[in-house]
Structure formats: C-alpha cells, structure tokens
Amino acid sequence: MKRLVTVVATASAVLVGGAVLSAAHAETVTPANGGPAYVKGRVTASPHLAIRSKPTTKSLREGYYNKGDILALKCYVKGQGVFGNSTWYRLDPTHNANWDGVGYVSAYYIKLLGAKPHHC
C-alpha cells in the first residue's frame, strides 16, 4: 500500500509539473523536467544570515534570511573559511522565497535536511 501511495503521489506531481520528492530523501528535490536536484537546508545563524554575492564575507551583501528559514541549495563551492568551514552553498535562484538571483551562504550556518548538494 505504501508503494502505491508513493507512485500515485509521484505521478501526480509529474502530471501537474511540480517537483518530485524522493521517498528516501524528502528534502532532496528533483524537478519534474529532469533538471539538476537541489537540497534543502535550515538557517542556524541568529538572528539572520547574509546572502553574499561571492563565497566570502568580504563580498557584497545581497540580502538576508532569518534563523529557521528553509533554503534551496543548488550546489557547493570552496571559499573563505568561516570558523574553519570553507564550504559555501549557492542558492537555487528559482526555489527560494524572496530570492531570485545568484547568492552564496556559508555552510557553517546551514543544517542540511538532505544529502549534500553536488559541487558547482
């Protein structure tokens, strides 16, 4: 019965052009058009996390997300270390509320809710 529900839910998402969720990683999403997957992550910085134009704290601040916000992460790159963590996530420009550009957030302040995104 569980398999039938998963198949029906997946078919419904594909038919309406929505995202298809993996049963194993509900927070790892693959668009119905077969494009690259993105992973969700939760902001842990308090009170907010700056979105940067490049993977460094010296780059332009493009905006902010608040603690607890869920972000769609397209991929990761190496950049300036933040408390010893040099991984930065590139935001997915089409799946984040209030954000539609290229931007980076430090992985130090993100708790992944699925598998690690691929390298950019």
Side-chain angles (χ1 to χ4, degrees):
M1 179 66 165
K2 184 177 178 181
R3 180 176 169 90
L4 177 61
V5 172
T6 302
V7 170
V8 170
T10 302
S12 297
V14 170
L15 289 175
V16 297
V20 178
L21 298 179
S22 162
H25 296 285
E27 300 301 336
T28 302
V29 180
T30 303
N33 65 5
Y38 64 89
V39 173
K40 290 185 180 181
R42 177 176 286 117
V43 175
T44 62
S46 183
H48 55 261
L49 175 62
I51 302 166
R52 300 288 184 166
S53 61
K54 295 179 182 172
T56 173
T57 60
K58 296 183 184 343
S59 66
L60 183 66
R61 284 187 210 126
E62 300 283 343
Y64 294 93
Y65 276 108
N66 295 319
K67 182 176 184 174
D69 285 348
I70 304 295
L71 306 180
L73 310 170
K74 185 175 181 85
C75 55
Y76 77 92
V77 298
K78 293 297 181 186
Q80 175 192 1
V82 175
F83 297 108
N85 187 336
S86 62
T87 299
W88 288 70
Y89 296 121
R90 183 175 176 179
L91 296 175
D92 187 296
T94 59
H95 295 98
N96 283 304
N98 303 323
W99 185 254
D100 61 359
V102 174
Y104 296 87
V105 292
S106 171
Y108 182 81
Y109 297 107
I110 300 292
K111 178 181 183 343
L112 291 178
L113 302 177
K116 186 174 181 178
H118 67 279
H119 190 269
C120 296

